[in-house]
Amino acid sequence: MTDLPPTRWESADNTGFASHFTELIRTGADIEGEARLADALLPRGATVLDAGAGFGRVGAALQARGHHVVAAEKDPDLVAMAAEHYPDLAVVRSDILALTPDLLREAGHPTSYDLVVLVGNVMVLLAPDTERRVLATVRDLLADGGRILVGFHPVDGPADSARDYPIEEFVADAESVGLRLQHRFGSYDLTPASDDYLVAVLVHG
Ligand SMILES: C[S@@+](CC[C@H](N)C(=O)[O-])C[C@H]1O[C@@H](n2cnc3c(N)ncnc32)[C@H](O)[C@@H]1O
């Protein structure tokens, strides 16, 4: 992974993320909202790629619902945390940009997916100027009729290192790589579209 640019996530102090979610899990808080919406987008027993999976909370919740999930995460600390919390979850330690069908095949995983999940502000924590390449990379991993579920704060993201990413710019970036906005909401509960948070479903254009 040495030839890939550092992500905004890697460039910041993110120690609070793990402790925040550890506390949410300890108190039994709901951390499955994204997974419930993802599940509603899928047939039963579907293939799911959780891209930028963190410690795998969304992928694990989808696996618990019967889907075949592969989680991809670059941060070694979060990969280790995933193994601790969800030992049955398949995790590939990789930059999203390096996720090719060959890499996935060699790791024993599907090479195409019914849904790619890019939630939890992954899109505003990528390496600078890699948004289109990341979208093109996951586009190439979609099965026929496959979709991409994206969620992020367009402004004032939770991490200091998060970029502002106007929704119009994101939609233009998606369209530039042959993807089309199929649905837009303001939350995973399907509240109306808002400027504060974007939940988007992308499909091949
Ligand atoms: C705020 S965390 C969210 C994690 C997870 N999606 C969730 O919702 O719990 C953002 C994640 O995006 C990952 N990320 C950002 N750019 C990435 C890239 N190019 N390749 C792989 N992971 C990336 C970070 O490593 C980090 O785990």
Side-chain angles (χ1 to χ4, degrees), residues 1 4-10 14 17 21 31 34 50-58 72-76 78 94-99 117-127 130 134 158-159 188:
M1 285 192 282
L4 292 167
T7 66
R8 294 178 190 273
W9 177 263
E10 290 171 292
N14 294 301
F17 178 78
F21 273 99
I31 59 168
E34 298 94 333
D50 186 1
F55 69 97
R57 67 185 176 96
V58 180
E73 173 54 49
K74 188 177 185 186
D75 181 334
L78 292 178
S94 175
D95 195 298
I96 297 167
L97 289 170
L99 289 176
V117 175
L118 265 172
V119 301
N121 287 302
V122 174
M123 285 304 301
V124 291
L125 291 163
L126 302 171
T130 61
V134 163
Y188 298 99

Side-chain angles (χ1 to χ4, degrees), residues 8 51-52 96 118-127 130-136 138 148-153 162-165 170 173-174 198 202:
R8 294 178 190 273
I96 297 167
L118 265 172
V119 301
N121 287 302
V122 174
M123 285 304 301
V124 291
L125 291 163
L126 302 171
T130 61
E131 292 84 1
R132 291 183 181 202
R133 283 170 61 200
V134 163
L135 289 168
V138 298
I148 306 169
L149 177 64
V150 182
F152 65 87
H153 284 92
R163 65 162 290 192
D164 286 349
Y165 196 2
F170 165 74
D173 284 345
L198 173 68
L202 302 175

Side-chain angles (χ1 to χ4, degrees), residues 7-189:
T7 66
R8 294 178 190 273
W9 177 263
E10 290 171 292
S11 305
D13 173 10
N14 294 301
T15 45
F17 178 78
S19 54
H20 173 66
F21 273 99
T22 300
E23 182 63 9
L24 290 180
I25 291 168
R26 191 189 68 74
T27 57
D30 176 23
I31 59 168
E32 297 193 354
E34 298 94 333
R36 284 193 293 274
L37 176 56
D39 184 50
L41 296 172
L42 288 165
R44 298 307 84 194
T47 49
V48 179
L49 176 66
D50 186 1
F55 69 97
R57 67 185 176 96
V58 180
L62 287 165
Q63 184 167 274
R65 287 163 171 76
H67 301 296
H68 306 287
V69 180
V70 177
E73 173 54 49
K74 188 177 185 186
D75 181 334
D77 291 338
L78 292 178
V79 171
M81 189 173 165
E84 188 185 323
H85 282 271
Y86 310 115
D88 296 332
L89 181 66
V91 181
V92 177
R93 186 182 159 200
S94 175
D95 195 298
I96 297 167
L97 289 170
L99 289 176
T100 60
D102 282 350
L103 180 145
L104 290 161
R105 186 182 302 106
E106 282 163 21
H109 300 308
T111 56
S112 64
Y113 293 84
D114 298 306
L115 186 72
V116 174
V117 175
L118 265 172
V119 301
N121 287 302
V122 174
M123 285 304 301
V124 291
L125 291 163
L126 302 171
D129 302 319
T130 61
E131 292 84 1
R132 291 183 181 202
R133 283 170 61 200
V134 163
L135 289 168
T137 299
V138 298
R139 174 206 62 203
D140 289 347
L141 296 171
L142 289 179
D144 282 351
R147 301 196 273 188
I148 306 169
L149 177 64
V150 182
F152 65 87
H153 284 92
V155 289
D156 298 333
D160 288 346
S161 53
R163 65 162 290 192
D164 286 349
Y165 196 2
I167 292 171
E168 303 70 29
E169 185 180 342
F170 165 74
V171 171
D173 284 345
E175 290 176 349
S176 77
V177 299
L179 294 167
R180 174 172 61 80
L181 184 68
Q182 185 181 54
H183 299 292
R184 176 183 165 189
F185 305 106
S187 74
Y188 298 99
D189 301 328

